[in-house]
Amino acid sequence: MFAWVTFAALIITVGLQVLARDLLHAPMIWTGDVAQLLFTWLIFLGAAAGLRVGAHYTVDLLPMHRRFVKVATDWTGFLSGVLVAALLLRFGWELAAIRSTAVIQSLGISRFWMFLSIPVSGP
């Protein structure tokens, strides 16, 4: 539900941006920053959700009909996913903390909220 609401808000924000810029000739500065914030959350949470349900693309280069190859690739994928999640959690939190002192000028909020999507998507 969160993803649908966020995606709808992204579409509305970008639509407002185009309408204001092209038809009204009065650009809204804040729409670009809101769109970037929403897009960042959608990308990281969407990637995490895709990994969780196994919806990412795969290319079979190995003979997957052999049990040993299937088990080895499954474990390699699982361990790689755990490693990436741990890295996102550890270094994403560090990046969010570092960027917390910066401000998104048009919104008046900390950049922490944009970078928080990285460690939240890790686990």
Side-chain angles (χ1 to χ4, degrees):
M1 183 62 155
F2 174 77
W4 285 107
V5 172
T6 307
F7 186 69
L10 176 65
I11 297 299
I12 290 167
T13 302
V14 172
L16 271 173
Q17 184 178 25
V18 171
L19 177 73
R21 183 186 62 229
D22 294 343
L23 295 179
L24 303 176
H25 302 289
M28 296 180 187
I29 306 246
W30 60 270
T31 54
D33 289 331
V34 170
Q36 185 179 16
L37 180 69
L38 295 172
F39 188 69
T40 302
W41 278 91
L42 282 170
I43 289 299
F44 280 101
L45 292 181
L51 181 64
R52 182 167 298 201
V53 298
H56 284 284
Y57 293 109
T58 60
V59 177
D60 289 338
L61 298 174
L62 301 172
M64 298 304 286
H65 62 278
R66 297 197 173 162
R67 180 164 168 69
F68 173 76
V69 173
K70 173 110 175 83
V71 169
T73 56
D74 286 347
W75 272 103
T76 302
F78 175 75
L79 293 175
S80 299
V82 168
L83 177 64
V84 168
L87 290 172
L88 285 173
L89 184 61
R90 162 78 167 75
F91 293 108
W93 184 255
E94 186 176 319
L95 179 61
I98 290 169
R99 298 299 293 160
S100 67
T101 59
V103 174
I104 301 173
Q105 293 297 324
S106 66
L107 302 176
I109 63 172
S110 171
R111 287 205 178 267
F112 172 80
W113 298 108
M114 183 177 298
F115 290 96
L116 182 63
S117 62
I118 299 170
V120 166
S121 68

